[in-house]
Amino acid sequence: MITHKAKRVEITIEAIMQSRLTDAMKAAGVTGYTVLPVFGGSGKSGEWNRSGQVSRASGMVQVVCIIKPERLDGLLESAFSVVERHIGVVSVQDCDVLRAERF
Amino acid sequence: MDQLFSLAAENLISPIILSFALGVAASLARSDLSIPEAVAKGMSIYLLFAIGFKGGVSVADHGIDGKLGMALLAGIILSALLPLIAFALLKVMTGMSRLDAAAVAAHYGSISIVTFVAGTSVLDSQGIGAEGYMVAVAAAMEAPAILSALWLVARGGGSGSKGMDGTLIREIMLNGSIVLLVGSFFIGMATGPKGLAEISSFIVSPFKGVLCLFLLDMGLVAGRGLREGGKILTPGVLLFGVVMPLVGAIIGLGSGLLLGLSTGGVALLMMLSASASYIAVPAAMRVALPEANPSLYLTLSLGITFPFNLTLGLPLYVAMAQALTGGSP
């Protein structure tokens, strides 16, 4: 089976920033992404848990997308302009995909 | 004074307050008791729909008087002015930075809809009626405080503020709570007592039971906030969380009396002015002032001011409104 090199970008961010981030990603040419719920965690801003949150103000989500390596810089620049001053983590991993034309 | 104490004691041993106390105690004791997120969301939708609908029915039943416009205007002015007072108090009482103080101040200009719901329940249990349009006043008081807070930051140089963009304004104005509250208010107004009779077995009878469970959840959240945010509560910050609702209530009392509202209406305006937001404003602050400390404003509004209002504030505000309007249950 032939595989193709790609980049997997994982952005964990405050739930209230989700639509702003995905809008920026679309503007950077990202054609697909997945939004995952985050159940809880701990970081520089303290410990938190999804259960019992009264609003989306303190919840987090994770946005995952897989793109061609040459589009990585454009995506990171767009994403950074949104997440720069907010709580969250951005990470990039190498990965392999089967259908390169989809990314 | 005796009446005030008996009212406070009666309020403290009500199922609503005891459910909240159970939540706080369970959370502080690190129990694994929790209300699933979807259930809590469902209960809040139910409570907002019921309170909005009943307010609309009351307006349909008694008609709209000329005070409606004035009450709405007063609500907007109160919401815009209270953050300025809160900000000044915070600067005097605590060593908070301008950014944190402005973010906290925004919460005290806006309102807690759960305090309002609990307040209407206290008034109902004492047979005190209120203007149905106070629901609309509550909705009108949600947003202006956010603008005042952003102005306070901009006035100090604007460092730390991302300002308001179109998306944020839309998110604030079309916040789910506001849409549901105002929407159900208009449904209640359009269908009137006949509409209420059709669904009363759903929105009247179970109301207090659902409120108990919702406040159990709020107690769990408040207890968790106190446990985790306790270390940021300096004596000055703690004192502010109790003094500011009293200041807000007194300003609400004066405004209610000037407007000529009923005893229940004055009490509700006091509760709205005394309460602090923990739904709409925290979300707006995370977007507009991301560098302000969320632990500070969430712990203060949810861990200190909300329990204070729920246990001691509500009976106090009702007693003050009764004493000054000459109203009785």
Side-chain angles (χ1 to χ4, degrees), chain A residues 10-31:
Chain A
E10 242 179 47
I11 304 171
T12 306
I13 191 169
E14 294 168 89
I16 43 156
M17 297 304 291
Q18 180 192 316
S19 62
R20 289 173 174 79
L21 174 63
T22 52
D23 285 349
M25 287 166 63
K26 280 184 263 187
V30 172
T31 52

Side-chain angles (χ1 to χ4, degrees), chain A residues 22-87:
Chain A
T22 52
D23 285 349
M25 287 166 63
K26 280 184 263 187
V30 172
T31 52
Y33 57 85
T34 305
V35 181
L36 304 170
V38 177
F39 289 106
S42 180
K44 194 180 164 191
S45 307
E47 204 172 305
W48 70 278
N49 193 294
R50 186 188 175 98
S51 86
Q53 297 291 339
V54 265
S55 75
R56 275 164 64 83
S58 39
M60 306 284 287
V61 293
Q62 191 173 70
V63 180
V64 179
C65 70
I66 294 172
I67 52 166
K68 288 179 179 154
E70 60 268 27
R71 293 167 76 174
L72 180 65
D73 284 345
L75 166 64
L76 290 181
E77 268 170 38
S78 290
F80 190 67
S81 67
V82 178
V83 304
E84 186 186 0
R85 291 161 65 184
H86 289 267
I87 298 166

Side-chain angles (χ1 to χ4, degrees), chain B residues 72-133:
Chain B
L72 283 172
L73 185 64
I76 291 168
I77 294 171
L78 280 171
S79 176
L81 287 183
L82 285 170
L84 309 184
I85 298 167
F87 184 79
L89 279 176
L90 281 163
K91 295 306 277 180
V92 173
M93 295 170 73
T94 70
M96 247 181 235
S97 69
R98 185 176 193 91
L99 193 64
D100 283 335
V104 170
H107 291 69
Y108 284 83
S110 187
I111 57 119
S112 147
I113 199 68
V114 185
T115 306
F116 179 78
V117 172
T120 57
S121 179
V122 169
L123 290 176
D124 279 350
S125 64
Q126 293 181 42
I128 302 173
E131 289 80 356
Y133 55 69

Side-chain angles (χ1 to χ4, degrees), chain B residues 69-87 105-111 134 137-138 140-149 244-259 261 265-275:
Chain B
M70 293 306 289
L72 283 172
L73 185 64
I76 291 168
I77 294 171
L78 280 171
S79 176
L81 287 183
L82 285 170
L84 309 184
I85 298 167
F87 184 79
H107 291 69
Y108 284 83
S110 187
I111 57 119
M134 290 308 291
V137 176
M141 289 179 76
E142 283 260 23
I146 297 167
L147 297 175
S148 296
M244 186 57 209
L246 294 173
V247 171
I250 289 167
I251 296 170
L253 172 68
S255 308
L257 292 174
L258 275 176
L259 288 167
L261 297 176
V266 171
L268 286 178
L269 194 58
M270 291 174 78
M271 292 168 195
L272 288 172
S273 306
S275 68

Side-chain angles (χ1 to χ4, degrees), chain B residues 142 170-180 279-281 283:
Chain B
E142 283 260 23
R170 182 180 51 76
E171 283 172 357
I172 293 167
M173 301 312 288
L174 294 179
N175 165 304
S177 309
I178 296 181
V179 170
L180 187 58
I279 297 178
V281 179

Side-chain angles (χ1 to χ4, degrees), chain B residues 14-24 211-213 215-217 219:
Chain B
S14 69
I16 292 170
I17 304 302
L18 291 177
S19 300
F20 179 77
L22 172 63
V24 174
L211 184 57
C212 284
L213 278 182
L215 284 173
L216 170 70
D217 186 43

